[in-house]
Amino acid sequence: MDRRTLLKGSAAAGGLAAFGGTLGAFLPGPMGARNAFAASPPHTLVIASPATPQSLDSEFDVSLGTFEAIAACYDSLVEFAKIPAPADPDAQREDIADYPDKPGRVNMVGKLAESWEIAPDSSWIKFKLREGVKSNWGNELTAEDVVWTWHRKLGLEAIGAFFANTISFIRPDQIKAEGKYVVSLTLDNPNPLLLKIQPNLYSPIYDSVKCKEMATDDDPWAKKFLENNTAGFGPYQITQLVRGQQCVFEARDDYYRGKPYMHTVIMKEVPTSANRAQLLQGGAVDIAQYLQPLELIRLSKAPGVAVDTIPATFMLWIELNAKIKPFDNVDVRRAMNFAFPQEQVLKTVFQDLAQPLNGALPAFYPGFNEKYYEFHKQDLAQAKELLKKAGMADGFKTVLSYNAGDPVQEPTAILYQSALKEIGVDLQLRKVPAATFYNFVSQREQPMIFYYDSPWCPDPGYSMNLYFHSKSFVNYSNYTNAKVDELIDAAARTADNDARLEMMDEVQKIVMKEAPWVFVAFTNYSMARREDLKGWTYYTSNNIRFQDFYRDA
C-alpha cells in the first residue's frame, strides 16, 4: 500500500510572526547560522507544531500537542518491540504482528515492568516492576502506583474507563499489589487484549504518591493538578508551558533508561502549515508537523530536509450523528456516502497522496476486510434514490463542522457541499477554531463533523469497540446497534483468535452497511525533518517520542 499523507489539525491563533523570524528568543546557549535562521544546538530539538498541549491529563484530552506531552513525560509497563520500517532505512516502526507462539500473541519488551507472566487464555497477568525507578517528583515506582492508576481509570469514567471496559476490567479489586514491586490484574473472563492494551500511549502509570498529595476531597483523582502538571516516570519533564505559544521539555538526568540524547525539546506553536514548512526549510526548526501534501512534495526536494512517509493508522471521516435527524435513517447515511466526491477529494485536495477509506479500521491491522465497502464511485443517482426511499426526495438542510487548523478539511468540505447540491441537500459549512474543535466533537451535538483519528491498539476488536460500541466514549456518531454491541462484547470474552476475527468481520459487515460515517481517506504519517535528525520511529498512536531522536555524527 502506497499512502503518503498528511494532516491532523489542532491549533490556536498565531503564526510566523509569533516566531519572531528567529529562535533566538527561546533557544538556550550559543547558536550558529543555518541559512537565514538560527540553528538548534546539537542536543536541542525544536518542533514547529500546530498546537501546544492543552490539558496534560490523558483521561480527558487527545488533542494534538497533548499526546506528544504524554509520550514524553510518562511511561507504560511494556512496549512493542521495534523493527525496521519497510522501504525506509531511516525509520523504525512497532512490530504489531500476531505471534501465536509468544505470550499474549505479541512481541513485547519491558519498560516500567522488567518481566511478566500471563495466563495462556489471557485471563490474568502479573508484572514484576523495575526497582529504583523514580518519577519526576523523586518518588519510587511501586505496585501501588499501578493499582492507583487503574483505579483512577474506573473512578473518572472517561478515556481510561474505555480501556478498562475493553479488557473487561470493571472492579477495583481486579488489580492487586502482590508485593512492593509485583502487581497482578485478574479478569472474570479471558481477554486477548490484556497484554496488548498495556503499551497504549494513554495507559501511562502515574506517581500515586504525588497525585494523592495534590488530591482533595472534591478532587480525589487530582484532576486539577494533572491538567497542568505531570507526575510520571517518563524521560522528560515540562519546565515551561505557555498555551498557544510554546512548551519546553527537559530531559531527566535520573531517567531509568538513561538521559535522552535530546536534552531540551521546544515545541513552538505555529498554526499555519505554510509557516511550519518555511521554518523547516530555512533551518529554524528540526521538525515541522502535519504539513499539506504540496508542501511535503516540495520539501522532499529541498536541500537539508528529509521527508519520511509511513503507512499509518490515520483515518479521516465525517461523523453522521445518528441522534439528529435525518441521520437517524440508514438510507440517508448511505446517500451521503454515495454523494461524497471521494475520487475528486483524493486527487485535488490530497494530490493523490492518500487512499480511499474503504473500511472501518486500519488496512494493515489483523482482520481488516474491504469487501463490504460499497462507495467506490460517486453515484448521485443512487444517492437520490436513497433519499427518496427515506421520504426526503426534496432533500434537506444540514451543517458540516470542520477544523480550521486542518488545511485539508475546508477544501474537502467545499467539494462535498457542491456535490450535495446536486441531490437537493443544502450543506452549510461551519469553521471551528482548532483549539476548541475537539470539544465540538466530544459533545456529540453537531449533525455532521469531521474527525481524524486512529485506533491505537492493533486489534480489530479494539477498533470496533472504540468507534461503534454504543457505550464507547469515542462513539461520536452516537451509533447504536444491539447486534454490534453483542458481537464486540463476546469477542472481548474469548481467547479463540479465529472466533474473534469471525465476529469482528461480521461487525465490519454491519457497520459498513449502516454507514455511521462518511468515509473519506486513509492517510500516511509523514515526518518532515532536518536530514541530520535520526531515530524516528512510527507508533500506531501517530505521535513522535522525543527520546528516540539523535543527530547524525
Side-chain angles (χ1 to χ4, degrees):
M1 190 176 304
D2 182 21
R3 301 194 299 269
R4 286 188 56 191
T5 303
L6 286 89
L7 303 168
K8 189 169 183 180
S10 181
L16 187 60
F19 238 93
T22 178
L23 301 183
F26 61 92
L27 275 181
M31 297 179 291
R34 184 190 285 163
N35 295 337
F37 296 89
S40 320
H43 294 281
T44 296
L45 178 67
V46 184
I47 302 167
S49 178
T52 48
Q54 298 304 303
S55 169
L56 297 176
D57 191 341
S58 63
E59 286 295 316
F60 299 102
D61 196 310
V62 293
S63 61
L64 186 63
T66 293
F67 62 73
E68 308 285 17
I70 299 299
C73 299
Y74 290 92
D75 264 355
S76 56
L77 294 171
V78 293
E79 66 179 348
F80 288 100
K82 304 204 175 92
I83 57 175
D88 191 338
D90 288 332
Q92 291 185 303
R93 68 182 306 148
E94 293 171 304
D95 183 3
I96 62 171
D98 182 56
Y99 288 91
D101 298 334
K102 289 184 178 291
R105 304 180 69 104
V106 289
N107 186 15
M108 294 280 186
V109 296
K111 292 189 82 175
L112 296 178
E114 65 178 16
S115 62
W116 56 93
E117 300 175 65
I118 185 169
D121 65 353
S122 293
S123 60
W124 59 264
I125 193 167
K126 183 180 292 185
F127 293 100
K128 167 62 174 65
L129 304 180
R130 297 183 190 276
E131 299 182 22
V133 174
K134 298 295 182 67
S135 77
N136 60 303
W137 294 98
N139 298 314
E140 186 184 14
L141 171 71
T142 69
E144 293 297 337
D145 295 312
V146 183
V147 171
W148 187 88
T149 295
W150 279 91
H151 286 179
R152 186 176 193 262
K153 294 179 188 298
L154 294 180
L156 290 177
E157 299 183 339
I159 294 174
F162 165 79
F163 294 137
N165 180 69
T166 299
I167 60 171
S168 302
F169 178 84
I170 56 176
R171 302 186 312 277
D173 64 0
Q174 289 178 278
I175 189 165
K176 294 180 180 178
E178 306 283 357
K180 186 175 182 180
Y181 303 109
V182 178
V183 62
S184 65
L185 201 162
T186 304
L187 307 179
D188 294 334
N189 301 285
N191 192 298
L193 295 181
L194 180 57
L195 180 55
K196 192 179 283 189
I197 200 75
Q198 303 299 329
N200 194 294
L201 177 62
Y202 271 32
S203 289
I205 303 302
Y206 288 101
D207 173 358
S208 63
V209 173
K210 183 62 179 180
C211 292
K212 289 177 181 178
E213 176 188 329
M214 304 308 296
T216 65
D217 291 341
D218 294 333
D219 184 16
W221 300 112
K223 287 169 53 179
K224 293 179 181 178
F225 173 72
L226 290 174
E227 182 178 359
N228 299 295
N229 300 275
T230 62
F233 300 92
Y236 289 89
Q237 57 187 346
I238 294 175
T239 57
Q240 183 190 60
L241 173 57
V242 182
R243 291 181 173 91
Q245 296 184 34
Q246 71 179 28
C247 186
V248 179
F249 302 81
E250 294 292 341
R252 293 178 49 208
D253 294 326
D254 60 348
Y255 181 53
Y256 67 97
R257 285 183 158 183
K259 186 175 182 178
Y261 180 95
M262 293 300 176
H263 298 173
T264 301
V265 179
I266 303 168
M267 177 182 287
K268 195 71 176 177
E269 184 162 313
V270 184
T272 305
S273 177
N275 288 344
R276 296 196 296 274
Q278 179 185 347
L279 289 163
L280 177 63
Q281 185 169 359
V285 303
D286 299 295
I287 294 172
Q289 293 186 298
Y290 309 112
L291 303 179
Q292 295 187 46
L294 287 175
E295 292 163 350
L296 290 168
I297 293 170
R298 175 173 55 81
L299 283 171
S300 68
K301 303 172 185 177
V305 175
V307 177
D308 301 286
T309 295
I310 299 289
T313 59
F314 275 144
M315 302 186 292
L316 176 65
W317 68 87
I318 298 170
E319 306 276 8
L320 298 175
N321 197 326
K323 286 189 175 179
I324 297 179
K325 292 183 178 296
F327 302 123
D328 57 339
N329 189 302
V330 171
D331 290 323
V332 173
R333 299 199 300 263
R334 288 171 53 77
M336 298 298 284
N337 272 280
F338 277 116
F340 183 70
Q342 189 180 65
E343 185 176 358
Q344 185 182 12
V345 167
L346 295 178
K347 186 174 185 62
T348 62
V349 178
F350 288 93
Q351 298 293 309
D352 290 325
L353 299 179
Q355 296 293 318
L357 180 60
N358 59 352
L361 70 155
F364 54 86
Y365 275 13
F368 172 81
N369 193 340
E370 65 182 62
K371 72 179 182 181
Y372 303 124
Y373 182 70
E374 301 178 64
F375 314 112
H376 297 281
K377 294 287 185 180
Q378 185 186 40
D379 190 337
L380 296 178
Q382 176 73 356
K384 287 182 179 179
E385 283 298 314
L386 286 165
L387 288 183
K388 183 178 179 181
K389 180 182 175 183
M392 309 197 73
D394 295 330
F396 59 90
K397 184 176 181 179
T398 190
V399 177
L400 170 59
S401 299
Y402 67 92
N403 188 345
D406 185 339
V408 303
Q409 291 188 21
E410 184 173 67
T412 298
I414 291 172
L415 290 174
Y416 195 21
Q417 183 184 49
S418 298
L420 288 173
K421 286 182 181 178
E422 300 295 319
I423 62 170
V425 175
D426 181 4
L427 183 68
Q428 303 295 309
L429 304 183
R430 181 178 186 180
K431 180 186 290 189
V432 180
T436 58
F437 184 77
Y438 178 71
N439 291 335
F440 269 69
V441 173
S442 60
Q443 287 167 0
R444 299 174 174 83
E445 296 176 353
Q446 308 305 310
M448 298 176 67
I449 191 166
F450 277 96
Y451 196 53
Y452 199 17
D453 198 33
S454 55
W456 290 354
C457 181
D459 182 87
Y462 177 91
S463 301
M464 296 298 97
N465 193 349
L466 184 67
Y467 299 124
F468 306 115
H469 196 290
S470 63
K471 295 182 180 179
S472 171
F473 183 82
V474 192
N475 177 11
Y476 296 131
S477 58
N478 288 313
Y479 173 72
T480 300
N481 181 296
K483 182 63 175 178
V484 166
D485 285 357
E486 178 186 334
L487 288 166
I488 291 172
D489 290 340
R493 293 192 297 267
T494 178
D496 185 333
N497 194 55
D498 291 338
R500 292 185 70 248
L501 290 175
E502 184 177 339
M503 285 185 276
M504 290 306 96
D505 191 75
E506 181 65 19
V507 170
Q508 290 177 76
K509 182 179 180 179
I510 296 170
V511 165
M512 298 307 293
K513 190 72 174 179
E514 297 193 340
W517 303 345
V518 174
F519 297 86
V520 180
F522 278 123
T523 71
N524 271 24
Y525 191 105
S526 293
M527 164 62 64
R529 58 179 172 84
R530 299 302 303 180
E531 65 180 355
D532 67 337
L533 188 66
K534 305 295 184 180
W536 176 52
T537 297
Y538 172 72
Y539 297 91
T540 59
S541 50
N542 295 300
N543 71 294
I544 59 175
R545 307 199 180 178
F546 312 146
Q547 56 268 35
D548 292 335
F549 291 103
Y550 62 92
R551 295 197 190 279
D552 207 3

